[in-house]
Amino acid sequence: MNAPLREPSFRESVDLMFNRAVRLMDLSPGLEEKIRVCNSTYTVRFGVRLRGAIHTFTGYRSVHSEHMEPVKGGIRFAPSVDQDEVEALAALMTYKCSLVEVPFGGSKGGLRIDPREWNEHEMEQITRRFAYELAKRDLINPSQNVPAPDMGTGEREMAWIVDQYRRMNTTDINASACVTGKPLNAGGIAGRVEATGRGVQYALREFFRHPDDMKKAGLTGGIEGKRVVVQGLGNVGFHAAKFLSEEDGAKVVAVVERDGGVVNPAGLPIEYLKSHIAATGGVRDFAQGGFVDDGASLLEAECDILIPAAMESVINLGNADRIRAPLIIEAANGPITAGADDILRQKGIVIIPDMYANAGGVTVSYFEWVKNLSHIRFGRMQRRQEEAQQTLLVGELDRLLRETGTGLGLSEKFKQQYVHGAGELELVRSGLDDTMRTAYQSMREVWHGRKGVDDLRVAAYLVSIGRVAASYRSKGL
C-alpha cells in the first residue's frame, strides 16, 4: 500500500521550485548554495505592559540576500508567523526584486500576533516596541533594511514605525525612507495602496497581449467578459477585482472570504461587496450574490481566471486535481504548493507566478523610497511645463484648422486629455506598467525559447536567479 503524499511546507515549496530551476543552470555548487540560503534571521521576544500585565511577543526579521542593499520586504502581523514562513517569504522577495529589476535584496519580517485581539492604542505600543527592537540592530534603516506593509499591516503601522525610527535617529535626513507604504502625509507615494492589485491587472493585460500564451491556456480574445474567481478581498484582491471588472470588463463571478463565498454569474459589484464586508465582517447576506458556506469550494468553480489573493498553500494536494480554471494568477505569496504545482501543470493550467504577479507592491515601494531620498514628489518640476507646451501645440493646431475654413476642429475632450500633464499618480502607474510589461517579456522569452522550460514559474526563477548570480560574480564571490 502506497503511503499518502506529504504536503511540502511553504518553505520547502520555495526550495523545491528553486531546485527545479537551478537544475537547468550552470551554477557552481557553492554559488547555488549562497543564493538559496537565508543570510540571517533575527528573532526577538519583547514584553509590553498592556491591560495591567506584561505580554511577551515573538517577532522575526530575515535577510535572505544582500547581493544588493538595502534589502526589502514587508512586515506581517499574523498568529501563524514563524521562522520558516518568514525565511521563505524573504527568499521570494530576493527573486521578486531581481525579476522586476528593483535594486534591493530580499528580506521579510513578521510578528506573531492577532491584530483583532488588541485595540488601536495597544497595537501602536506593540508596533513601536517591535520597530525599536529592529531599528537598534539596523534591521530598519534607509540604506540597509526597508520594511513595508504585508498581511495584517498597512499605512497606519508604517506611520508608527517611521515615527519610532525618527525618534531614535533625530539627525537622519533620509529617515522617511526607512520604510515604505506610508500614508501620503507621512512621506508616502500616490498609488501605493493600490499597487499590488494594479500590478495584477497589468500582468494580466500583458499576458493577454500574446496570442501564443493565451493559446497555452486555451483562451482567446481579451480580458473583457472573462469569468474571474477571487480568493481573499483584502487590499490586493479588492483592487485587482475592482480594476479588472470596472476598467477591463471582466466579470468577477465569485469571491471567497473567511466566512464563506458569494457567487453571481452576472458579475459581483466589488465596491458594494467590500462595503458589505467592512460593515458586517463577511460576505454572508450580501444582497447581490448567493452565499456559499464552503467558500474554499469556489476555488474549484468553473471560470477563466482564478486569483488566489490571500494566504499561502490554499491550492494544495487536496484540491489541485479539481481546479478547473485554465489560468491562475498568484496575487498572494505562495498560494500554490509545490505538489499542487506539478498537478496543475500536468493538467495544462497556466500559472502566472507570485514572484512576478504581486511585484507591483515592491515596485511602487521602490518609487516611494526614491521619492523619499530625493525629497521631492514626482511630477513637481515638469508637470506644468509639459502642460504649457501641449497647450501651445493644441492652440496652434486649432488655429490652422479654423483657417482652412473646413469647420473641422479638435474636440474639447481630446484637448483636455492631451494637455493634462502627468502628476505623481500617473507617473507611478506608468512606471509600474512598464515594469510589469518588461518583466513578463523577460519571462516569456525564456518560457518559449529555452529547452526544458515548460512553465512561467521556472522561467521566472531562471531570470531572477541568473541576475542574482551575475551580481555575486561581479562582487568577486
Side-chain angles (χ1 to χ4, degrees):
M1 189 176 191
N2 290 332
L5 287 171
R6 186 182 72 83
E7 191 75 78
S9 70
F10 178 35
R11 181 174 176 175
E12 288 170 337
S13 285
V14 173
D15 281 344
L16 285 165
M17 291 165 181
F18 175 90
N19 292 338
R20 274 181 58 211
V22 295
R23 278 199 295 268
L24 302 171
M25 302 179 75
D26 185 24
L27 296 181
S28 68
L31 182 55
E32 178 186 319
E33 181 72 359
K34 178 71 192 82
I35 295 170
R36 186 181 63 79
V37 300
C38 261
N39 286 7
S40 60
T41 300
Y42 175 68
T43 303
V44 57
R45 296 177 182 90
F46 59 91
V48 184
R49 186 176 291 278
L50 302 162
R51 304 175 188 177
I54 292 178
H55 295 263
T56 299
F57 299 91
T58 301
Y60 305 91
R61 189 71 181 167
S62 181
V63 175
H64 175 260
S65 174
E66 292 156 296
H67 70 285
M68 288 191 178
E69 287 188 296
V71 293
K72 189 88 184 71
I75 290 180
R76 172 174 291 198
F77 285 5
S80 61
V81 165
D82 60 27
Q83 183 172 335
D84 270 9
E85 178 184 63
V86 170
E87 290 188 350
L89 289 165
L92 276 178
M93 281 303 302
T94 293
Y95 310 139
K96 187 182 302 184
C97 291
S98 175
L99 179 65
V100 296
E101 296 182 284
V102 166
F104 296 132
S107 183
K108 204 74 177 187
L111 185 64
R112 193 180 299 154
I113 186 173
D114 187 344
R116 292 170 296 183
E117 293 180 358
W118 306 94
N119 65 36
E120 183 172 358
H121 176 64
E122 291 166 338
M123 283 305 302
E124 180 176 354
Q125 288 180 275
I126 296 163
T127 303
R128 284 182 179 275
R129 181 60 197 274
F130 186 36
Y132 170 80
E133 293 290 339
L134 296 180
K136 72 180 184 181
R137 293 169 176 83
D138 286 329
L139 291 166
I140 299 176
N141 186 294
S143 63
Q144 288 178 270
N145 198 313
V146 182
D150 196 80
M151 190 171 68
T153 59
E155 288 186 334
R156 181 185 71 171
E157 288 76 16
M158 298 307 110
W160 293 335
I161 291 171
V162 75
D163 184 65
Q164 184 65 35
Y165 180 86
R166 283 186 188 282
R167 292 183 186 193
M168 298 169 67
N169 300 273
T170 55
T171 59
D172 187 348
I173 194 172
N174 293 320
S176 289
C178 77
V179 66
T180 58
K182 303 178 293 293
L184 269 173
N185 59 12
I189 193 168
R192 175 61 184 88
V193 174
E194 69 172 43
T196 311
R198 181 69 76 180
V200 171
Q201 177 196 29
Y202 289 160
L204 281 171
R205 284 182 177 179
E206 185 59 24
F207 176 85
F208 278 94
R209 286 189 182 102
H210 300 282
D212 289 349
D213 301 2
M214 284 191 285
K215 188 177 179 182
K216 283 182 178 284
L219 295 170
T220 56
I223 296 173
E224 187 172 359
K226 295 291 185 290
R227 298 161 301 164
V228 179
V229 172
V230 178
Q231 184 254 339
L233 211 66
N235 178 49
V236 181
F238 165 67
H239 283 104
K242 174 181 166 66
F243 298 145
L244 289 168
S245 58
E246 293 179 7
E247 297 176 11
D248 295 327
K251 289 193 296 185
V252 180
V253 296
V255 166
V256 182
E257 261 296 325
R258 282 196 188 98
D259 65 325
V262 61
V263 181
N264 185 339
L268 291 159
I270 297 303
E271 285 276 9
Y272 290 126
L273 179 56
K274 184 69 173 174
S275 300
H276 178 81
I277 294 169
T280 67
V283 296
R284 188 183 293 272
D285 299 324
F286 183 61
Q288 292 171 269
F291 180 74
V292 177
D293 261 317
D294 182 10
S297 67
L298 293 175
L299 291 167
E300 303 160 19
E302 191 176 334
C303 63
D304 301 304
I305 304 168
L306 175 59
I307 307 179
M311 287 288 289
E312 57 263 12
S313 306
V314 294
I315 300 174
N316 47 56
L317 291 174
N319 62 2
D321 62 340
R322 298 191 299 276
I323 300 294
R324 289 189 282 174
L327 176 64
I328 302 174
I329 180 163
E330 296 183 311
N333 284 311
I336 299 173
T337 66
D341 190 77
D342 288 338
I343 294 168
L344 296 172
R345 284 186 293 109
Q346 286 167 15
K347 291 177 68 172
I349 292 172
V350 173
I351 301 165
I352 301 177
D354 49 0
M355 78 162 78
Y356 165 70
N358 63 36
V362 74
T363 301
V364 177
S365 276
Y366 168 51
F367 300 158
E368 181 180 334
W369 181 73
V370 170
K371 173 188 176 179
N372 294 154
L373 294 179
S374 62
H375 301 276
I376 188 168
R377 66 171 164 81
F378 294 119
R380 183 169 184 173
M381 295 289 283
Q382 72 269 32
R383 181 177 185 177
R384 302 307 172 188
Q385 188 266 344
E386 287 174 2
E387 288 184 354
Q389 275 194 323
Q390 283 149 203
T391 300
L392 193 66
L393 177 61
V394 163
E396 185 64 10
L397 284 171
D398 243 0
R399 183 187 67 77
L400 290 170
L401 287 167
R402 282 196 306 273
E403 287 182 1
T404 61
T406 59
L408 298 172
L410 302 174
S411 72
E412 286 304 313
K413 183 180 178 182
F414 170 80
K415 286 193 278 190
Q416 285 173 6
Q417 288 179 332
Y418 185 77
V419 166
H420 180 73
E424 184 167 271
L425 181 59
E426 290 91 350
L427 291 168
V428 164
R429 287 175 174 171
S430 171
L432 176 56
D433 192 11
D434 179 71
T435 299
M436 298 307 286
R437 288 195 198 197
T438 304
Y440 184 83
Q441 287 157 17
S442 68
M443 286 192 307
R444 78 178 300 272
E445 187 178 323
V446 173
W447 185 26
H448 291 287
R450 187 159 172 173
K451 191 177 178 182
V453 179
D454 59 359
D455 66 303
L456 278 167
R457 192 187 309 281
V458 167
Y461 271 93
L462 286 169
V463 172
S464 60
I465 294 168
R467 289 172 180 167
V468 174
S471 180
Y472 276 130
R473 287 191 187 107
S474 70
K475 290 175 182 289
L477 292 181

